[in-house]
């Protein structure tokens, strides 16, 4: 279709609610309401396509202004009035309306059609000079700010000054002369600031306002909003031109916003605000004191009754909670807009549940359309009490790395965190960054705050894994480790001072703010009172529906029995990633681990393994027991060995100080330290992420993986003999070539066979690999010839595919998101066209050579709804995520099936 | 075809030279010689397929032994003798023969058919008891060692003892009784060591020998050889069973090896050795003193004449220099084997040239089949004088990181290297590793020796780029920086001591060994005498042929005018990668660069750029001038900023020492150092390779690339005005998303336009990007929408595709090659199925959206023949490599075309 042949404009009577992409949400709903007989002021909608044509061509597309003129004429005929008629003018509003709701992000101009002449006509029409001049004043103010880019504060200041001069505080106390004077002042402001006159020609006003709305699609805050909400930039906005009705025509007029149910609690009762004798923007702006919606019944009983009837109609029609803007003009109720009402995560569940009970919607609809998997986390987390939260100022902001609120006393080292916690203190661990050595202190903390590192830094990953609230990369705070203080702006926090962090929004507060545990969390852990709550009933109901629908299994990333139990409570069907690095940490193991690292002979190395084996067997026993009956995928040791050694720089400094005589140390001790240093230097790597780790460790230290596998099998055998049903799976990390996998498998299968034979039990242990390097994805067909399963390690796969080190992206990723150089943070949601393309290759080619290949994902993405949907489409067998994200993954996996069904039924 | 229906055995009269894959090289050539009427002892060949069937089934495949029996019978009929006949036995040899020559790698057994009875028959047949018992002794010795895995030294020791007891030094001085006694002793040795008797049944001997040859395909040295020479493991070996002839039947007998031309110099005269009264293995083993081949004419004039005639026949028939094994049995000449003779890089060129002149082959054949691009480097490099080399023992061995010999005095810091060189000293820089700060010292050195780092470490890459010989990763040397010494085994080398390194084979020698410049290098640089050499004539001729054939252009990776000139002399047609990092180094720039890095305001940053711009403009002028008329692809700044700052650890130690009072420093200086330290800490990255570098720098510091682009355009404009023809191209490094490229291009194109307009010249500057991250390859279609060219940065692409940091692979890559976990070092030759697959995607999808897309490669692979062939197949426009690899790339590119033509004409 050529541009010229397109229909650019639709009358409200022409459209319907399904045409959101063409008419925008508002336009489609105005048309829908019009057509179901609700009292909507007449008008028409310019399509989103027109906006996009305008953006491409840099001006109105051919035919648009002609269509606008036609529809204007039709509207004028319908109303019996003309825009700009000096005797009896028709006034219109010009409002944006995109396919997705972007509240307050784009522009609106009201009262278009008023000028120095038609203001008199309006007086003539209404008999109300004050109202008329006030309307004109509002037009100039809004038009000046929105269309002519005049600094809005200039108008507000002039208005304040006028009130001040008159000695009044309320706009309504200004009289006609005051308003006339203000009109003059406003016009001067425009002339001075915009170097142009306020346009008197109503057609100019109309066209300029349309252009301003088109342009507002690309303003910065709208762009930011879309980026945050993953809304496509190419959609464009529609423009709605609608007959003005007035809530500011006196005491029998007013305006309001109404939700058909409570958007915070979900309770089934109307909720909103009503403002007497006012225009809509006065409510939104929140400047004047409003009545609660229920109080409207007292002042406007007829309109209130009508509104309740219309709300019922709307809910029945839309089958959802609606958000309505309305105006009462001299006792007559007009509906100006409706849309699906935004609501809290909690209200989502309660409303969905109630509506299913009421028969408005069925369960699949509720599951598919009414519940946001991405927001489920929120209702699980402890929160800062709402009232306190709104009245407290954060001292710093960072990344919302792990949700929930936490309160504690500040410590600056992991050892202090562990020691203080031991003594019963609640602590917040504050660090520049964390590393695996800090693990014991991290898990002992209530919350973690770092000044560096991104949402996938070590701190963030561990925190999410453990369900510990964390704020990361709070660049505003500056830590002085020696002095044991940190600064945030002008505030200095000392060790032992209380702080509160909110990992849900990334804020940090000084002092001890009150928090509360979430109802769902309490219910899941078995608290009866919580299980009687409406929220739990709703949650329980829909999770069962989701579980019944989904084809993806959901496993947990869990490394300890505690995490495994936690995951089971939340519905995990196994462990998809059991990391083993913590089994090489802790005081009783450090000696053996160093012996293993530094072994000069095979015998020494074997000794080290002999010491580690029984300890690790016990670790595995605990985990397999906690996951009894479900598969547990154990990843053999992955991180580079220097993670198990002291910090290189600290050691260099220490040795240098001793050698310079500035620090005392015995000769023998010094020799030991120097020896350790030379080994640390030897193991030091320029890019440890791409160095000697993963399967490369297994190749270079063949006894290492054999020891791990032996302890896994021995643990499983032991439980099996006790009548339990352990299901270990062995996973080799960081495979780049099929040959690596084959070699490891050939070395380890005999170990498995030997232990099973020795025990004489019946046990089958699958061998698989992570797919976490591009080359593994590209060679998946070959790797699948001998692998029983693949697990996509999308953290590393994203790192290598992008060449982004997640420990170092803090320096640029925020800017990349800001500038839209990435569609979104690829460590949060899978980069479908890059990383996802490699996954697709691996799935297709892996299954082509091995039809029994079992496929999962164990990167952080496994708990991200958008990524879960992608995994469902890829037809994976399971996703694995941190225990606290299990409900989210279950829900998203159920929704993905329904989304599929919907799109395939189209 | 089923196994049973396969033909496993071919008589020599049945095969021909084209059947190497089936009959092995030796078998095919024996058949060929038989069929052109040369005197070959009759026999038959068991196919490689039989070997592979044996390897798969773990035993002789069905039908094989029947066929062997049939052919044996036929051979016995032909010869009128029977194997094992106690009266008149036929003796045979059993020899391996793979499709590719693997000299000495696999097994051979001679004299099969002798036993306690048939040795008497042999005496009967030959009338020579001593010869017969010696033959039997040899069979037992060879069979014991090869087939029965007895330690060969045991036999040698027994032989020595027998001679010692008798008081003689030569085998021939042992008489019949001595040999009889030795046979007994040898049989005892076997019984003791192998716990089995030496088999008396000739059929057992034959079958065991065949089995041993099959098995020898998989022995370790054969596997290693194949890995080094990139020979497919799945080929298998054939087995040749041939009538024995004897060179040890007295003075009128003998044996020898002959090359039809000199394999070292290429001269057209036979070359080889002759050994009277001996068997072939005596020549190969090099135990006894041999005659020069020419001297054979004196002792065996008839056979010598015949040999010369047969050599002429063979060269004419094979159209190549041949390597022949022959035996004279009682005056009668037998040819036992022929194959294409191995030769030095130099002889390749000389022989190819002569054969073209002689009309034996045409130029394309010479180019395609006779010249090894991989070895071309060798004849360009200075070398240690041959005699000295063979008599000197290396003190250490490392990786042959950059070819050529270098002599100089040892220094341990780059500053010392530069200072000593300034004073006219030749120095060898010895370091654990090098980094960009060492550049000035590296280029001032004759050679570089490192104890860590791989063939793609910084030292290796810079050394190859600069043509400086280097030995890297010489783990045996241990450096004591403070004492300024290094140890290698028991040798300690002090600062100032002379060492000689040979980067061609990775050896290190103490002292000053004499070296000489290569002829080709001298000729290229214009030396007349060198240009009159035969080698130069050959080189010049075939390079012209290659240049005429090739479709790939060849550019250089060159960063300075000197390198650019060097590259032009060697035939470069432009610069494919001009790195700009060195333009941010050097004393006069360090202040400005630090100001840029630490700038607190836009003004400060702009000041820094203003200081750098004129300096860099001058740098570019020099380069564009040196490459006048050819394109120069400039890569904007790529490395992370901390590479321009002092070493982190050194600074930590320094500050700690000062603070502890162990080192003196003024208060102000200390404050500065502490400030610097805190900034170095801030910029420190965990994985700098995946951090803030490449285009990310351009995004985060927008003025940086603008400054570089401005200085490029200003330099070009200036030269243009002087009548030169500069052709800069601007390349953005490390693109991961199309949006990054678009943003940079949108920022930089106006800078280009502004400068060109200001100057009023006619200049077009293409904008392109490196494809060096997997995601860039996967999104190439999108990137190509706005990019004029792609250059594959296969170093980084290999790093990210494999997850291998080339700075850290030293700890495992050698082991990976050893264990065949990688096909070959992917940093040397492109990993065609992984990295190459990404390249293929990028080429196909890039060209699909932009038919004008210009494509090149600028990783180290650009100078590797196997990779050049791959690039030719990918249909790239050019390869770019270090100046010293340009001739190699030109040759390989020409050969790739001919290879294509050949395979497409099949």
């Amino acid at each position: 279709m050529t541009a010229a042949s397109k229909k650019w404009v639709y009358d409200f009577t022409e459209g319907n609610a399904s045409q959101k992409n063409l008419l925008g949400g508002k336009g489609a709903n105005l048309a829908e309401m019009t057509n179901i007989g609700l009292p909507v002021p007449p008008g028409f909608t310019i399509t989103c396509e027109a906006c996009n044509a305008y953006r491409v061509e840099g001006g109105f597309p051919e035919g648009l202004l002609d269509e606008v003129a036609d529809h204007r004429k039709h509207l004028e005929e319908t109303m019996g009035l003309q825009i700009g008629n000096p005797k009896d003018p028709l006034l219109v509003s010009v409002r944006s309306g995109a396919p997705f709701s972007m509240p307050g992000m784009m522009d609106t101009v009201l009262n278009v059609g008023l000028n120095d002449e038609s203001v008199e006509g309006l007086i003539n029409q209404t008999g109300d000079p004050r109202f008329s001049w006030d309307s004109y004043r509002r037009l100039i103010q809004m038009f000046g700010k929105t269309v002519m880019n005049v600094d809005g504060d200039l108008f507000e200041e002039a208005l304040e000054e006028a009130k001040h001069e008159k000695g009044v505080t309320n706009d309504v106390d200004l009289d006609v002369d005051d308003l006339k004077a203000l009109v003059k002042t406003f016009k001067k402001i425009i002339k001075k600031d915009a170097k142009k006159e306020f346009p008197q020609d109503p057609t100019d006003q109309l066209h300029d306002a349309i252009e301003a709305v088109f342009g507002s699609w690309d303003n910065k805050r709208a762009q930011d909003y879309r980026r945050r909400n993953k809304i496509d930039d190419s959609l464009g906005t529609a423009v709605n031109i609608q007959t003005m009705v007035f809530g500011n025509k006196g005491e029998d007029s007013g305006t309001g916003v109404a939700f058909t149910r409570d958007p915070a609690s979900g309770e089934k009762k109307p909720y909103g605000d009503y403002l007497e004798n006012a225009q809509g923007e006065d409510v939104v702006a929140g400047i004047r004191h409003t009545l609660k919606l229920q109080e409207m019944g007292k002042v406007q009983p007829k309109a209130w009754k009508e509104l309740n009837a219309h709300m019922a109609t709307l809910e029945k029609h839309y089958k959802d909670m609606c958000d309505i803007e309305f105006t009462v003009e001299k006792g007559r109720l007009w509906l100006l807009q409706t849309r699906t009402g935004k609501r809290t995560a909690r209200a989502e569940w309660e409303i969905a549940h109630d509506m299913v009970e009421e028969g408005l919607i069925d369960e699949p609809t509720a599951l598919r359309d009414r519940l946001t998997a991405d927001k489920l986390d929120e209702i699980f987390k402890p929160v800062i009490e709402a009232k306190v939260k709104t009245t407290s100022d954060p001292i710093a902001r960072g990344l919302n790395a792990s949700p929930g609120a936490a309160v504690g006393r500040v410590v600056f080292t992991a050892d202090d965190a562990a020691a203080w916690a031991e003594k019963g203190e609640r602590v917040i661990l504050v660090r520049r960054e964390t590393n695996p050595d800090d693990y014991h202190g991290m898990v002992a903390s209530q919350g973690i705050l770092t000044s560096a590192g991104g949402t996938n830094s070590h701190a963030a990953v561990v925190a999410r894994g453990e369900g510990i609230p964390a704020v990361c990369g709070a660049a505003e705070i500056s830590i002085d480790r020696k002095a044991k203080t940190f600064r945030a702006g002008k505030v200095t926090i000392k060790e032992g001072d209380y702080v509160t962090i909110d990992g849900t929004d990334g804020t940090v507060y000084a002092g001890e703010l009150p928090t509360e545990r979430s109802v769902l969390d309490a219910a899941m852990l078995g608290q009866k009172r919580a299980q009687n709550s409406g929220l739990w009933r709703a949650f329980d109901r829909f999770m069962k529906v989701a579980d019944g629908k989904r084809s993806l299994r959901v496993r947990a990333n869990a490394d300890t029995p505690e995490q495994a139990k936690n995951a089971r409570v939340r519905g995990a069907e196994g462990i998809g990633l059991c990391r083993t690095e913590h089994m090489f940490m802790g005081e009783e193991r450090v000696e053996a681990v160093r012996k293993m690292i530094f072994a000069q002979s095979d015998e020494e190395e074997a000794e080290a393994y002999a010491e580690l084996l029984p300890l690790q067997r016990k670790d595995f026993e605990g985990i397999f027991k906690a996951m009894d009956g479900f598969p547990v995928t154990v990843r053999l040791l992955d991180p580079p060995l220097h993670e198990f050694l002291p910090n290189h720089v600290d050691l260099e400094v220490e040795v240098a100080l001793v050698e310079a005589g500035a620090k005392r140390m015995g000769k023998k001790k010094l020799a030991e330290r120097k020896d350790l240093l030379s080994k640390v230097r030897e193991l030091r790597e320029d890019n440890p992420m791409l160095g000697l780790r993963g399967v490369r460790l297994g190749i270079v230290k063949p006894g290492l993986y054999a020891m791990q596998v032996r302890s896994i099998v021995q643990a499983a055998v032991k439980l099996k003999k006790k009548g339990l049903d352990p299901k270990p799976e062995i996973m080799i990390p960081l495979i780049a070539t099929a040959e690596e996998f084959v070699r490891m498998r050939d070395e380890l299968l005999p170990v498995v066979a030997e232990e099973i034979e020795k025990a004489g039990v019946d046990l089958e242990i699958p061998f698989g690999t992570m797919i976490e390097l591009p080359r593994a994805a590209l060679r998946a067909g070959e790797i699948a010839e001998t692998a029983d399963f693949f697990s996509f390690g999308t953290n590393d796969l994203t790192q290598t595919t992008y060449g982004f080190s997640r420990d170092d992206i803090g320096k640029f990723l925020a800017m990349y998101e800001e500038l839209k150089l990435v569609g979104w943070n690829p460590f949060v949601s899978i980069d479908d066209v890059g990383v996802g393309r490699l996954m697709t290759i691996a799935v297709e080619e892996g299954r082509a050579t091995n039809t029994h290949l079992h496929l999962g994902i164990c990167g952080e993405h496994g708990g991200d709804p958008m990524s879960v949907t992608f995994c469902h489409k890829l037809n994976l067998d399971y996703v694995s995520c941190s225990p606290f994200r299990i409900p989210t993954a279950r829900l998203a996996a159920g929704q993905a099936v329904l989304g599929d069904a919907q799109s395939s039924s189209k």
Side-chain angles (χ1 to χ4, degrees), chain A:
Chain A
M1 201 189 261
T2 64
S5 69
K6 259 191 185 148
K7 178 170 165 66
W8 299 120
V9 183
Y10 286 72
D11 193 83
F12 289 170
T13 55
E14 292 179 302
N16 67 61
S18 75
Q19 295 176 298
K20 282 189 184 163
N21 279 331
L22 185 67
L23 304 177
K26 183 183 293 182
N29 284 322
L30 284 169
E32 188 77 17
M33 288 198 291
T34 301
N35 292 322
I36 61 170
L38 293 176
V40 174
F44 55 89
T45 303
I46 301 172
T47 66
C48 297
E49 287 173 352
C51 172
N52 285 330
Y54 171 87
R55 293 165 75 210
V56 171
E57 296 170 25
F60 289 126
E62 202 189 324
L64 173 61
L65 291 185
D66 293 342
E67 284 192 51
V68 167
D70 289 350
H71 281 268
R72 168 181 169 177
K73 202 169 159 221
H74 175 71
L75 180 64
E76 287 174 341
E77 284 165 10
T78 304
M79 300 302 294
L81 302 168
Q82 291 82 39
I83 296 175
N85 184 322
K87 295 278 154 60
D88 195 6
L90 174 66
L91 304 192
V92 295
S93 62
V94 178
R95 291 178 201 256
S96 63
F100 291 86
S101 170
M102 295 168 59
M105 290 301 138
M106 287 182 305
D107 290 342
T108 287
V109 187
L110 304 178
N111 300 344
V112 167
L114 279 178
N115 55 22
D116 293 350
E117 287 180 342
S118 66
V119 67
E120 300 295 345
L122 188 62
I123 295 168
N124 191 34
Q125 195 184 90
T126 62
D128 189 342
R130 196 201 164 280
F131 160 77
S132 301
W133 280 102
D134 191 40
S135 298
Y136 191 26
R137 184 272 299 178
R138 286 169 187 263
L139 168 64
I140 299 172
Q141 179 168 0
M142 217 177 237
F143 196 95
K145 183 179 166 192
T146 303
V147 182
M148 302 182 78
N149 290 314
V150 174
D151 180 358
D153 288 346
L154 297 174
F155 299 114
E156 289 299 337
E157 284 159 14
L159 181 60
E160 284 308 307
E161 204 180 303
K163 287 191 281 187
H164 182 74
E165 271 178 17
K166 192 161 179 112
V168 300
T169 57
N170 218 324
D171 293 7
V172 291
D173 297 324
L174 295 176
D175 63 19
V176 172
D177 289 337
D178 300 329
L179 292 166
K180 276 187 177 173
L182 263 180
V183 162
K184 266 196 189 153
T185 311
F186 280 13
K187 286 203 259 184
K188 274 188 204 150
I189 288 172
I190 286 179
K191 175 117 198 247
K192 191 172 170 204
D193 203 66
K195 318 272 183 251
K196 273 198 288 193
E197 300 279 358
F198 168 77
Q200 289 293 325
D201 180 344
T203 303
D204 286 348
Q205 288 177 10
L206 185 63
H207 293 177
D208 288 356
I210 293 169
E211 209 161 354
V213 173
F214 281 168
S216 69
W217 176 256
D218 289 310
N219 73 31
K220 188 170 174 324
R221 63 187 174 177
Q223 288 187 359
D224 288 349
Y225 183 88
R226 289 199 294 276
R227 185 166 44 73
R228 271 197 309 282
N229 292 278
K230 296 177 188 166
I231 296 173
D232 190 342
D233 264 348
S234 70
L235 291 171
T237 183
V239 184
N240 299 292
I241 289 145
Q242 189 175 22
T243 306
M244 286 293 301
V245 291
F246 295 95
N248 55 347
K249 282 193 174 167
E251 298 303 312
D252 56 351
S253 298
T255 189
V257 292
F259 290 86
T260 56
R261 307 190 182 207
D262 187 326
S265 70
E267 207 182 336
K268 193 181 176 180
K269 62 169 197 208
Y271 173 95
D273 302 290
Y274 180 71
L275 189 56
E276 293 185 83
N277 193 16
Q279 278 286 62
E281 76 268 24
D282 301 324
V283 184
V284 177
I287 301 168
R288 285 168 49 193
H289 184 72
T290 56
L291 300 177
K292 285 204 178 147
L293 188 65
Q294 324 288 345
E295 296 171 296
M296 179 186 164
K298 295 179 206 155
V299 294
Q300 292 276 4
K302 180 169 158 282
W304 171 242
K305 210 177 143 194
E306 280 172 27
L307 178 63
N308 275 288
H310 295 334
M311 286 199 285
T313 304
L314 280 169
E315 273 212 353
K316 213 165 163 189
H317 188 73
Y318 282 99
K319 300 178 193 300
D320 200 358
M321 185 263 270
C322 295
D323 164 2
I324 301 159
E325 287 181 24
F326 65 90
T327 283
V328 183
E329 187 181 68
K330 295 192 169 284
R332 184 168 177 194
L333 176 69
W334 293 98
L335 302 191
L336 300 182
Q337 176 174 349
T338 192
R339 61 186 172 201
T340 302
K342 297 220 167 195
R343 65 207 78 175
T344 62
R346 181 189 164 170
E348 275 187 1
W349 291 82
E350 301 250 16
I351 291 173
H353 184 266
D354 290 348
M355 286 193 170
V356 171
E357 290 294 313
E358 291 160 25
L360 264 181
I361 55 176
D362 58 11
E363 282 184 334
T365 303
L367 180 68
R368 187 184 65 229
D369 296 339
R370 304 300 162 82
L371 304 171
T372 314
D374 244 340
K375 280 162 58 179
L376 182 52
D377 247 17
E378 281 176 31
I379 39 177
F380 268 94
K381 295 294 168 180
V383 290
I384 297 172
E385 283 179 11
K387 272 187 196 163
V388 178
K389 172 92 186 171
T390 53
T391 56
S392 306
D393 287 325
I395 57 168
R397 287 173 191 279
L399 301 167
N400 47 347
S402 177
V407 184
R409 299 175 68 185
V410 167
V411 292
F412 292 94
T413 69
D415 288 342
D416 286 344
W420 290 40
E422 187 90 351
K423 284 183 253 158
E425 294 282 359
R426 292 178 303 159
V427 298
I428 303 286
L429 177 60
V430 182
R431 306 271 292 165
R432 185 178 176 277
E433 288 174 301
T434 62
N435 62 54
D437 278 344
D438 296 327
Y439 183 81
H440 63 297
M442 297 170 77
V443 296
S445 302
Q446 299 296 311
I448 295 160
L449 168 60
T450 69
S451 61
T455 49
N456 276 282
S457 60
H458 179 262
V461 172
V462 170
R464 280 197 297 277
E466 302 287 340
I468 301 166
V471 175
C472 291
E476 301 162 44
I477 78 165
S478 141
I479 301 170
D480 187 334
R481 267 207 297 171
K482 275 197 185 150
K484 297 197 172 183
T485 62
F486 75 82
R487 255 187 319 115
K490 286 169 190 167
V491 183
T492 297
I493 305 281
K494 293 191 297 294
E495 183 183 60
D497 288 353
Y498 272 100
V499 295
T500 302
I501 64 169
D502 189 340
T504 308
D505 66 359
T507 47
V508 182
Y509 303 86
E512 210 174 348
L513 269 50
T515 63
E516 53 199 1
R517 161 178 269 185
S518 75
V519 173
L520 286 192
D521 210 29
M524 272 205 159
L525 295 171
Q527 197 198 84
K528 288 278 170 260
R529 193 167 54 86
Q531 287 176 348
N532 285 327
S533 70
L535 181 57
W536 173 257
R537 272 202 304 274
F539 177 81
D540 196 43
R541 166 186 218 143
F542 292 122
M543 288 309 280
K544 279 188 184 128
V545 180
D547 288 343
K549 294 282 179 198
R550 68 187 157 88
S551 56
L552 279 171
R553 298 293 91 195
V554 176
R555 299 196 195 175
N557 299 346
D559 313 338
T560 63
E562 291 65 39
Q563 289 177 359
K565 280 174 210 151
N566 222 326
R568 263 193 111 135
V569 165
R570 283 165 171 73
E573 300 156 299
I575 292 179
L577 175 64
C578 173
R579 303 174 199 88
T580 55
E581 33 270 41
H582 70 102
M583 299 183 189
F584 292 83
M585 285 168 188
E587 261 177 54
E588 81 280 21
R589 305 185 187 196
V590 66
E591 276 313 309
V593 170
R594 288 208 185 152
K595 195 190 283 179
M596 166 189 105
I597 296 176
F598 300 142
Q600 298 287 336
S601 65
D602 291 352
E603 290 72 33
E604 254 185 279
E605 212 171 305
E607 271 173 39
Y609 296 138
E611 285 174 46
L612 289 168
L613 186 124
L615 300 169
Q616 301 207 352
R617 183 176 54 218
K618 218 172 152 205
D619 295 334
F620 286 119
E621 263 181 62
I623 294 165
F624 296 159
K625 206 167 154 186
M627 261 302 155
D628 186 36
F630 282 126
V632 175
T633 308
V634 179
R635 179 177 74 184
L636 302 183
L637 192 66
D638 182 53
L641 295 178
H642 49 66
E643 290 202 1
F644 302 100
L645 296 178
N647 179 283
H648 173 218
V649 170
D650 292 350
L651 206 52
E652 291 273 5
V653 168
E654 184 185 32
V655 169
L657 288 175
V658 175
E659 294 208 316
K663 184 175 169 169
R664 275 164 189 273
M665 188 178 282
K667 246 190 177 172
K668 200 180 148 208
K669 176 94 188 283
L670 175 62
E672 275 173 26
R673 296 302 279 174
K674 282 176 80 171
D675 191 42
L676 186 59
L677 174 59
S678 84
K679 282 158 180 167
V680 169
R681 276 187 192 156
E682 206 179 297
L683 283 178
R684 199 185 57 74
E685 292 182 305
D686 289 327
N687 296 287
M689 151 77 204
L690 308 178
L692 181 56
R693 50 170 288 234
V695 68
R696 300 161 200 175
L697 288 174
I699 302 283
V700 170
K701 290 199 169 286
L704 172 61
Y705 281 5
M707 179 275 287
Q708 290 197 286
V709 167
R710 200 174 293 279
S711 61
I712 290 165
V713 185
Q714 287 182 355
V717 155
K718 197 169 162 190
L719 296 180
K720 191 91 184 175
K721 284 185 171 172
K722 286 188 185 167
L724 298 183
D725 183 21
K727 294 186 165 175
E729 304 182 333
I730 290 168
M731 180 158 74
I732 314 285
L734 214 71
I735 289 288
T737 75
E739 290 82 359
E740 291 173 309
F741 182 73
V742 170
R743 184 175 176 87
M744 278 295 119
R745 190 171 166 273
D746 288 352
E747 265 181 38
L748 300 173
L749 275 183
V751 175
V752 174
E754 185 191 327
E755 291 295 333
I756 289 180
E757 203 186 351
K758 207 164 29 175
V761 299
D762 185 25
L763 198 63
E764 248 188 68
I765 302 188
F767 262 79
T769 174
M770 307 271 289
I771 300 289
E772 53 185 336
L773 294 172
R775 197 174 188 282
L778 294 164
R779 302 301 300 158
E782 197 186 354
I783 297 170
E785 287 172 11
T786 46
D788 298 319
F789 64 87
F790 286 170
S791 178
F792 287 100
T794 47
N795 296 350
D796 274 4
L797 191 60
T798 301
Q799 294 197 84
T800 44
T801 303
Y802 271 92
F804 282 176
S805 157
R806 58 183 180 175
D807 294 319
D808 301 310
I809 48 173
K811 294 193 177 70
F812 58 87
L813 193 61
M815 194 159 172
Y816 265 53
E817 289 190 76
E818 175 82 21
L819 298 175
K820 296 197 276 186
L821 304 179
V822 286
W824 53 83
N825 181 336
F827 292 104
V828 173
S829 294
I830 282 175
D831 161 43
D832 52 347
V833 296
V835 175
R837 184 172 177 188
L838 286 174
M839 292 172 72
T840 306
I841 288 173
V843 169
E844 286 173 2
E845 301 184 5
R847 284 220 169 104
T849 53
N850 178 355
T851 49
H852 300 293
L853 190 70
H854 204 242
L855 291 164
I857 179 176
C858 65
E860 290 277 308
H861 298 99
D864 165 67
M866 191 165 133
S867 309
V868 170
T869 304
F870 182 76
C871 292
H872 171 77
K873 285 190 186 144
L874 265 188
N875 202 13
L876 299 192
D877 295 297
Y878 67 89
V879 297
S880 185
C881 58
S882 70
F884 298 91
R885 299 288 286 183
I886 299 266
T888 303
R890 285 163 60 199
L891 177 61
Q895 291 180 322
V897 174
L898 291 169
D900 251 17
Q902 194 182 35
S903 61
S904 67
S905 71
K906 265 183 191 166

